[in-house]
Amino acid sequence: MTEPSPGEFRELVRGFFEQIPFNRQIGLEMRELDLERLTLSAAFELRPELIGNIWKKILHGGVIATALDTVGGLTAMVAAYQRMGDIHWKEKTERLSKLGTVDMRVDYLKPGRGEHFLCRGSILRTGNKLVVTRMELFNDAEELIATGTATYLY
């Protein structure tokens, strides 16, 4: 298989994202992928099964952490892919298939109130084996609900 063009690569990333069962479970949808700035965003809507506080209708903290980790991991995958440079496409995909979260910190800044949520991820550092990302989750009023920093091994 030959190296995909940027457009093909963007579609491969979207397809990979959509294949993850848990993303479908919480309704997480990829919105934007910027290959030059290495940023990614995804969104989801509040549904009854995602509520952690039933009296206040607040998003569950585990859903927040999941969204942050998912966006951070996919952003890390794109950065690692680009970092690997000119190695063969097959070797790149083999290494990327092993990408995993090493460490993640979540700061819950406000209760998860809202009907729609947007999560953005960006790269802080890409090394030969590790990628460090920063993630942010906003509600529909554009309030910052939570932030995260994570390290991924590839």
Side-chain angles (χ1 to χ4, degrees):
M1 181 173 187
T2 62
E3 191 86 15
S5 70
E8 290 170 329
F9 181 68
R10 194 175 280 108
E11 286 309 307
L12 285 169
V13 171
R14 182 179 301 281
F16 175 76
F17 185 88
E18 291 171 354
Q19 287 179 17
I20 298 172
F22 202 69
N23 291 352
R24 290 194 308 267
Q25 184 70 31
I26 67 172
L28 195 60
E29 297 177 359
M30 195 172 109
R31 291 290 166 93
E32 182 184 355
L33 171 60
D34 186 329
L35 295 174
E36 290 180 19
R37 293 185 329 178
L38 286 176
T39 58
L40 185 137
S41 66
F44 63 100
E45 295 184 10
L46 184 67
R47 300 188 328 237
E49 58 270 25
L50 303 181
I51 293 174
N53 182 325
I54 58 173
W55 298 280
K56 303 265 186 187
K57 199 177 170 188
I58 294 173
L59 189 63
H60 191 285
V63 175
I64 292 170
T66 297
L68 293 172
D69 187 31
T70 301
V71 167
L74 202 59
T75 307
M77 185 183 79
V78 172
Y81 173 86
Q82 290 185 346
R83 171 73 181 213
M84 286 186 262
D86 293 333
I87 67 171
H88 193 271
W89 166 249
K90 187 174 180 174
E91 185 179 342
K92 282 184 181 183
T93 56
E94 178 67 27
R95 282 191 67 189
L96 292 175
S97 72
K98 298 174 185 173
L99 186 133
T101 310
V102 174
D103 183 58
M104 185 171 82
R105 174 192 168 97
V106 176
D107 291 308
Y108 298 94
L109 306 174
K110 288 188 172 191
R113 291 189 180 96
E115 294 299 319
H116 308 280
F117 298 90
L118 178 71
C119 190
R120 293 186 188 123
S122 60
I123 299 301
L124 294 177
R125 181 181 188 285
T126 305
N128 291 327
K129 293 184 181 184
L130 297 172
V131 180
V132 181
T133 64
R134 173 163 172 81
M135 303 81 68
E136 299 173 323
L137 181 75
F138 297 88
N139 65 9
D140 41 16
E142 297 184 19
E143 296 175 307
L144 184 59
I145 301 298
T147 62
T149 305
T151 303
Y152 300 89
L153 177 68
Y154 70 97

